[in-house]
């Protein structure tokens, strides 16, 4: 087995050498952008299929023409290089055309989570100082609810993109389809002037506190991530076709999937939302040989009833993040995959890992300078030595991942300077050094022969953020909102594990105001459903007599996480919102047993 492993690893060397040659950091003054790459594909592969979506197909030439129409329409509306435009649309061809059009003009696209409503939606549009908001017909109601709280002008700054055609553009928005048709499809002259140092996108992340933050994504980092995925992770050519069903307002679906396909001239099958039952039929019908995944998607597919011919499909390669070791071998074998390229990287971070050598159950290796330091999970803090410096963990021991900040690994951070500074840890090993705090625990693992490169494995998130339903959930943000319910005095939110589900489900320990003896489940359920997106709603609620705090009045989470919703450890009332239901109900022993068996349905 050792000889076979060594031989397989050595076959990766040519790709690593090509990667090293092609991924040297480019100057921020170099001219290139996402829109320019689409334009090149139109010249090189104009008649080849670019995107397949809901029965429609567009070639690279047709797609570039649509992007140009949108870009010319934006110009006619007075939008200029350096502006920011919010984009609120579901996955579809027009969404990608809007992003490319903005790129061609040097306008930063602020990509907003389509699940957001009310205050979080208003916040995301406002925090980026957006000059306009492009929204899809499918999300018109969400924009209508918040437009009075925005500084954008009705009839001028709202730009409507038709979808099913069930509703016309409202009288407070401009119809982009009509404006684009009138503007023409010539390539904008500005595209060749856009530099790598300019901002490509704002991608929102929950961060660790407060409302969503806008992570800055420069053209250089955007194109470098796309190039890494295309060249070394998926090894794409113009003959490949990607299956993409992840939300495109997130970095994985957009940068690692769509942008990689654009980088290589590959074609894409794009789905509005993931469907386990349609997955294999669509893979076979459209001959997609590459999958872009997140771990939860893979678990859903693994949990579907297996058929003897599941492996008989065109898929050979997959790229993504969050696939857990307990399903990795089964998923790979069942669907006949030859290569799984797991990667790790935060939208706002300065460090990335990639499984370039096709090893199992690892996020791979990194060229960045990183450190894994000791972290006290119960106290939710870094362990330091007598000199106030961090302590590196032993090989194989989980540690908090830090990424060194330097000229080759710049931390671009957020639009909020204060939020950016909070993610930087200084004087880590010596006075004056600066490191990016990932908020994640990882460990070094043994993967066999690996050309001398250490490999790593993701362990867990720490602190005030956890991952659920493919989203980062800020415990502080959720807690602040629940504190707004009239019966709640204090709320402590944390993540708990559910067998058979990826990530951690939200659980809220609440203390009721004086004089309230029992939580009004109907009113509380309605409040949670109205004020929180589905992924951020706590699955469990525990009603405590007292909320535990530290000596510095920081709420204690360690014991709460450990006890979770275990009825044998908790005497307080515990309530659960079951899958596909919208009301909390008491957690009983029968459903608790179902959860323990991994059959909860989450």
């Amino acid at each position: 087995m050792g000889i076979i492993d060594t031989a397989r690893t050595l076959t990766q060397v040519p790709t690593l050498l090509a990667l090293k040659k092609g991924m040297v950091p480019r100057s921020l003054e170099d001219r290139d952008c996402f829109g320019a790459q689409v334009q090149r594909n139109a010249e090189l592969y104009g008649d080849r299929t670019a995107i397949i979506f809901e029965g429609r197909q567009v070639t690279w030439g047709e797609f570039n023409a649509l992007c140009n129409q949108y870009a010319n329409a934006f110009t006619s509306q007075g939008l200029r290089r350096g502006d920011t435009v919010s984009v609120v649309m579901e996955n579809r061809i027009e969404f990608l055309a809007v992003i490319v059009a903005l790129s061609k003009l040097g306008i930063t696209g602020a990509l907003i989570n389509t699940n957001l409503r009310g205050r979080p939606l208003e916040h995301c549009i406002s925090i980026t100082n957006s000059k306009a908001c492009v929204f899809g017909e499918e999300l018109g109601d969400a924009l209508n609810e918040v437009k009075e709280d925005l500084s954008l002008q009705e009839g001028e700054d709202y730009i409507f993109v038709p979808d099913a055609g069930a509703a016309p553009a409202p009288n407070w928005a401009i119809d982009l389809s009509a404006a684009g048709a009138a503007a023409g499809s010539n390539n904008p002259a500005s595209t060749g002037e856009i530099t790598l140092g300019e901002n490509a996108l704002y991608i929102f992340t929950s961060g660790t506190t407060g409302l969503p933050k806008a992570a800055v994504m420069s053209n250089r980092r955007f194109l470098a991530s796309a190039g890494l995925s295309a060249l070394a992770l998926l090894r794409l050519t113009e003959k490949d076709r990607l299956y993409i069903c992840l939300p495109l307002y997130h970095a994985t679906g957009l940068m690692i999937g769509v942008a990689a396909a654009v980088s290589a001239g590959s074609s894409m099958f794009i789905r509005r939302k993931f469907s386990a039952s349609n997955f294999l039929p669509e893979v076979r019908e459209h001959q997609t040989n590459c999958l872009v995944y997140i771990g939860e998607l893979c678990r859903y597919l693994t949990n579907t009833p297996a058929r003897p011919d599941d492996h008989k499909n065109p898929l050979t390669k997959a790229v993504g993040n969050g696939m857990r070791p307990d399903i990795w071998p089964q998923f790979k074998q069942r669907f006949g995959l030859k290569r799984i390229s797991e990667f790790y990287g935060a939208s706002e971070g300065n460090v990335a890992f990639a499984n370039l050598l096709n090893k199992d159950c690892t996020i791979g290796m990194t060229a960045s300078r990183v450190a894994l330091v000791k972290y006290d999970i119960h106290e939710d803090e870094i362990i330091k030595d007598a000199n106030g410096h961090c302590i590196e963990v032993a090989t194989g021991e989980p540690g908090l991942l830090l990424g060194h900040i330097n000229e080759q690994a710049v931390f671009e951070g957020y639009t909020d300077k204060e939020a950016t500074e909070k993610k930087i840890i200084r004087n880590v090993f010596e006075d004056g050094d600066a490191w990016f705090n990932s908020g994640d625990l990882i460990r070094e693992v043994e993967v066999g022969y690996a050309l001398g490169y250490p490999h790593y494995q993701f362990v867990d998130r720490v602190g005030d953020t956890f991952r659920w339903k493919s989203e980062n959930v800020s415990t502080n943000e959720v807690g602040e909102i629940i504190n707004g319910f009239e019966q709640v005095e204090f709320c402590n939110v944390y993540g708990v594990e559910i067998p058979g589900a990826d990530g951690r489900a939200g659980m809220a320990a609440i203390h009721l105001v004086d004089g309230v003896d029992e939580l009004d489940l109907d009113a509380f359920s309605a409040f949670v459903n109205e004020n929180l997106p589905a992924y951020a709603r706590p699955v469990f609620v525990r009603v405590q007599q007292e909320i535990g705090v530290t000596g510095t009045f920081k709420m204690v989470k360690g014991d709460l996480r450990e006890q979770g919703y275990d009825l044998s450890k908790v005497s307080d009332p515990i309530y659960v919102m079951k899958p596909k239901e919208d009301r909390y109900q008491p957690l009983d022993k029968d459903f608790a047993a179902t959860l323990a068996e991994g059959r909860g349905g989450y």
Side-chain angles (χ1 to χ4, degrees):
M1 189 65 182
I3 296 175
I4 295 175
D5 182 48
T6 299
R8 286 175 176 169
T9 302
L10 290 174
T11 62
Q12 315 295 325
V13 171
T15 299
L16 292 180
L17 293 175
L19 179 67
K20 184 176 182 180
K21 180 180 179 180
M23 299 297 286
V24 175
R26 298 164 65 185
S27 169
L28 293 175
E29 301 302 318
D30 285 355
R31 296 177 181 180
D32 202 1
C33 64
F34 191 39
Q37 292 194 340
V38 169
Q39 196 164 304
R40 288 196 291 270
N41 285 350
E43 296 168 358
L44 293 170
Y45 315 115
D47 294 330
R48 295 181 66 94
T49 298
I51 307 171
I52 301 171
F53 173 78
E54 294 186 353
R56 297 165 56 199
Q57 291 194 33
V58 295
T59 65
W60 282 112
E62 292 167 340
F63 180 61
N64 185 59
L66 179 62
C67 299
N68 290 341
Q69 287 183 357
Y70 287 179
N72 294 330
F74 291 148
T75 299
S76 69
Q77 295 301 317
L79 295 171
R80 297 290 182 265
R81 184 175 177 180
D83 287 344
T84 297
V85 171
S86 289
V87 184
V88 192
M89 292 175 63
E90 292 181 348
N91 288 10
R92 49 191 178 101
I93 294 170
E94 293 80 9
F95 174 82
L96 293 178
V98 167
I99 294 173
V100 173
L102 295 174
S103 174
K104 282 172 174 270
L105 300 175
I107 296 172
T108 305
L111 309 185
I112 297 180
N113 187 324
T114 55
N115 294 298
L116 298 182
R117 299 292 185 274
R119 184 187 172 210
L121 175 57
E122 178 270 325
H123 166 83
C124 290
I125 296 173
S126 299
I127 197 175
T128 58
N129 296 314
S130 291
K131 294 291 182 65
C133 176
V134 180
F135 67 96
E137 173 189 335
E138 67 277 18
L139 291 165
D141 290 344
L143 266 296
N144 190 44
E145 292 173 1
V146 301
K147 62 184 175 65
E148 291 185 359
D149 299 319
L150 297 170
S151 60
L152 300 178
Q153 298 299 310
E154 294 186 17
E156 298 178 11
D157 300 333
Y158 293 96
I159 303 174
F160 170 92
V161 185
D163 184 17
N171 58 11
W172 45 271
I174 296 165
D175 189 324
L176 182 60
S177 181
S185 58
N186 293 330
N187 288 317
S190 60
T191 305
E193 302 298 318
I194 310 303
T195 67
L196 293 178
E198 295 176 62
N199 290 342
L201 300 167
Y202 293 132
I203 295 181
F204 286 87
T205 173
S206 294
T208 56
T209 59
L211 291 163
K213 300 176 182 66
V216 179
M217 185 68 61
S218 66
N219 281 316
R220 181 169 73 172
R221 194 150 68 95
F222 182 83
L223 296 183
S225 297
L228 171 67
S229 179
L231 178 64
L233 294 175
L234 284 174
R235 302 183 177 185
L236 295 176
T237 72
E238 72 276 8
K239 297 179 181 179
D240 289 301
R241 176 169 291 167
L242 283 68
Y243 187 99
I244 305 173
C245 58
L246 303 182
L248 298 179
Y249 55 76
H250 270 173
T252 301
L254 181 62
M255 293 167 54
I256 304 301
V258 171
V262 171
S263 179
S266 308
S267 62
M268 299 164 270
F269 171 84
I270 292 177
R271 217 176 193 287
R272 198 177 293 253
K273 293 180 180 179
F274 168 64
S275 168
S277 61
N278 287 303
F279 174 69
L280 273 182
E282 290 172 340
V283 164
R284 289 166 175 150
E285 178 185 357
H286 299 290
Q287 291 296 294
T288 57
N289 66 323
C290 304
L291 170 67
V292 184
Y293 70 82
I294 46 136
E296 185 181 42
L297 180 151
C298 299
R299 191 175 295 277
Y300 277 141
L301 290 173
T302 303
N303 288 340
T304 58
R307 295 181 178 178
D309 65 345
D310 281 345
H311 65 286
K312 294 181 179 179
N313 66 73
L315 288 176
T316 58
K317 302 176 283 190
V319 64
N321 64 297
M323 190 183 304
R324 305 302 294 155
D326 63 316
I327 67 164
W328 187 304
Q330 181 183 353
F331 183 81
K332 187 175 183 179
Q333 181 178 8
R334 175 174 168 180
F335 295 103
L337 290 162
K338 304 299 182 185
R339 181 179 182 84
I340 295 180
S341 297
E342 177 87 0
F343 73 92
Y344 167 93
S347 298
E348 75 278 25
N350 71 332
V351 60
F353 294 76
N355 183 14
L356 304 177
L357 301 183
N358 197 23
K359 301 290 185 178
D360 287 339
C361 304
T362 173
I363 60 175
M365 55 195 189
T366 181
S368 305
R369 181 184 172 190
V370 300
L372 306 185
V373 301
K374 291 188 176 183
Y375 192 86
D376 189 320
I377 297 174
H378 280 274
E379 294 297 325
D380 193 17
E381 62 185 18
I382 296 171
I383 299 172
K384 296 185 178 181
D385 62 19
N387 296 317
H389 293 151
C390 297
I391 306 167
E392 293 195 76
V393 300
T395 300
E397 179 183 345
L400 178 68
L401 170 65
L402 305 180
H404 188 250
I405 299 172
N406 52 62
E407 290 184 3
Q408 284 71 44
V410 176
F411 174 45
E412 295 179 343
Y414 311 101
T415 55
D416 184 332
K417 292 183 179 180
E418 183 179 347
T420 298
E421 186 60 32
K422 286 182 178 179
K423 293 294 288 185
I424 300 174
I425 301 178
R426 302 185 186 278
N427 307 318
V428 171
F429 297 115
E430 58 188 24
D431 292 344
D433 64 359
W435 298 69
F436 164 70
N437 179 4
S438 72
D440 292 329
L441 295 175
I442 71 170
R443 62 170 164 242
E444 186 176 337
V445 292
E446 175 58 45
V447 295
Y449 182 62
L451 302 172
Y453 291 101
H455 278 58
Y456 299 85
Q457 191 175 80
F458 176 83
V459 177
D460 205 354
R461 290 195 66 81
V462 300
D464 296 324
T465 305
F466 60 86
R467 187 93 168 156
W468 181 244
K469 298 299 180 184
S470 311
E471 302 279 0
N472 287 336
V473 180
S474 166
T475 60
N476 290 332
E477 178 188 342
V478 173
E480 288 171 8
I481 291 174
I482 292 177
N483 281 337
F485 183 64
E486 60 184 6
Q487 290 187 322
V488 175
E489 183 173 6
F490 295 113
C491 176
N492 193 357
V493 179
Y494 46 98
V496 294
E497 293 181 330
I498 296 180
D502 277 328
R504 291 178 181 269
M507 185 164 185
I510 63 175
H511 176 62
L512 302 178
V513 299
D514 290 342
V516 176
D517 298 323
E518 187 174 347
L519 181 66
D520 184 335
L521 293 179
D522 288 330
F524 181 74
S525 300
F527 179 87
V528 168
N529 291 331
E530 181 179 350
N531 289 280
L532 289 168
Y535 65 84
R537 296 168 192 160
V539 173
F540 303 98
V541 174
R542 172 178 174 174
V543 180
Q544 286 187 293
Q545 294 299 313
E546 298 290 340
I547 293 288
V549 295
T550 67
T552 56
F553 298 98
K554 185 175 182 180
M555 288 189 289
V556 176
K557 299 180 189 283
D559 290 340
L560 292 173
R561 288 195 198 101
E562 186 176 336
Q563 294 164 2
Y565 49 89
D566 189 335
L567 296 177
S568 67
K569 297 180 180 179
V570 180
S571 58
D572 298 323
I574 296 180
Y575 304 96
V576 61
M577 188 179 287
K578 295 181 179 179
K580 299 181 181 179
E581 296 189 9
D582 59 4
R583 183 185 184 276
Y584 288 101
Q585 56 187 282
L587 176 64
D588 57 33
K589 292 182 178 179
D590 289 342
F591 191 64
T594 300
L595 290 170
E597 294 168 1
R599 298 186 294 107
Y602 294 100

